[in-house]
Amino acid sequence: MENRTSGRADLFANDGDPAIGANRVWFNMLRIHRSTGARIARALRDIGVGDPVWYEILLELERAGPDGLLMATLERKLFTAQYALSRHAARLEEEGWIASAAAPGPGRGKVLRLTGEGKGMHSRIWEVYQAAIAEEIGTRLSVDETYALARLLIRLYD
């Protein structure tokens, strides 16, 4: 594998402007997503998962237990727009992995729950997802670097 960072370290020499630093973080996160996300998504599509967020939806519903989750709660947890989550929920329902029902009370809220077929599905998906992530990212960073980077990234949305 070619060294993808050769010649790039000098881009940061004597750079102390916080706005430039923040811009570099943002654009590099976008580039990482574009350069690795498509291959990871393809590995998941090969096993019938339409989008990587399906794993997160299924995982959160598994954690929620039999009562499920309000769609609005899931939107906040996953930082996903309502229209996008609705589309993904409809597809997961077509797969038979989740069920939706009207939330109690006024309004048009929905509660999402796992079906019998959907229980444990996140674990089956994770095997493929984890392998794809490891192939894309795990070979480029040490274990210590991955945890350090994860801690930094969490600070950006926590």
Side-chain angles (χ1 to χ4, degrees):
M1 175 192 271
E2 90 180 64
N3 182 350
R4 296 175 188 227
T5 60
S6 60
R8 293 187 187 167
D10 61 330
L11 291 174
F12 299 102
N14 301 319
D15 191 358
D17 184 335
I20 298 292
N23 291 346
R24 286 186 175 155
V25 167
W26 175 252
F27 287 107
N28 281 298
M29 286 190 314
L30 289 174
R31 288 176 183 167
I32 290 163
H33 184 264
R34 287 191 304 259
S35 71
T36 61
R39 288 187 295 270
I40 291 170
R42 190 170 27 258
L44 293 173
R45 275 194 308 274
D46 288 348
I47 63 164
V49 176
D51 190 281
V53 77
W54 288 18
Y55 168 80
E56 294 178 84
I57 294 168
L58 294 168
L59 177 63
E60 291 300 333
L61 293 178
E62 188 84 36
R63 287 176 175 164
D67 292 336
L69 277 177
L70 286 169
M71 197 121 116
T73 301
L74 197 54
E75 288 170 30
R76 287 188 301 275
K77 280 181 171 258
L78 301 180
F79 302 94
T80 304
Q82 184 275 328
Y83 69 89
L85 184 58
S86 291
R87 187 186 67 215
H88 291 301
R91 291 181 180 158
L92 285 163
E93 203 162 7
E94 287 172 12
E95 293 290 331
W97 297 346
I98 71 167
S100 66
R108 301 182 320 173
K110 282 188 171 185
V111 175
L112 302 178
R113 292 179 182 85
L114 287 178
T115 63
E117 191 177 334
K119 286 185 180 154
M121 183 57 72
H122 75 282
S123 295
R124 293 187 289 270
I125 294 169
W126 182 242
E127 293 175 25
V128 172
Y129 204 175
Q130 184 178 26
I133 292 167
E135 185 176 319
E136 291 296 326
I137 296 169
T139 60
R140 299 177 191 183
L141 300 171
S142 71
V143 172
D144 288 343
E145 289 170 328
T146 60
Y147 279 101
L149 181 57
R151 283 184 200 95
L152 290 171
L153 292 172
I154 288 168
R155 287 173 44 195
L156 296 179
Y157 70 84
D158 195 24

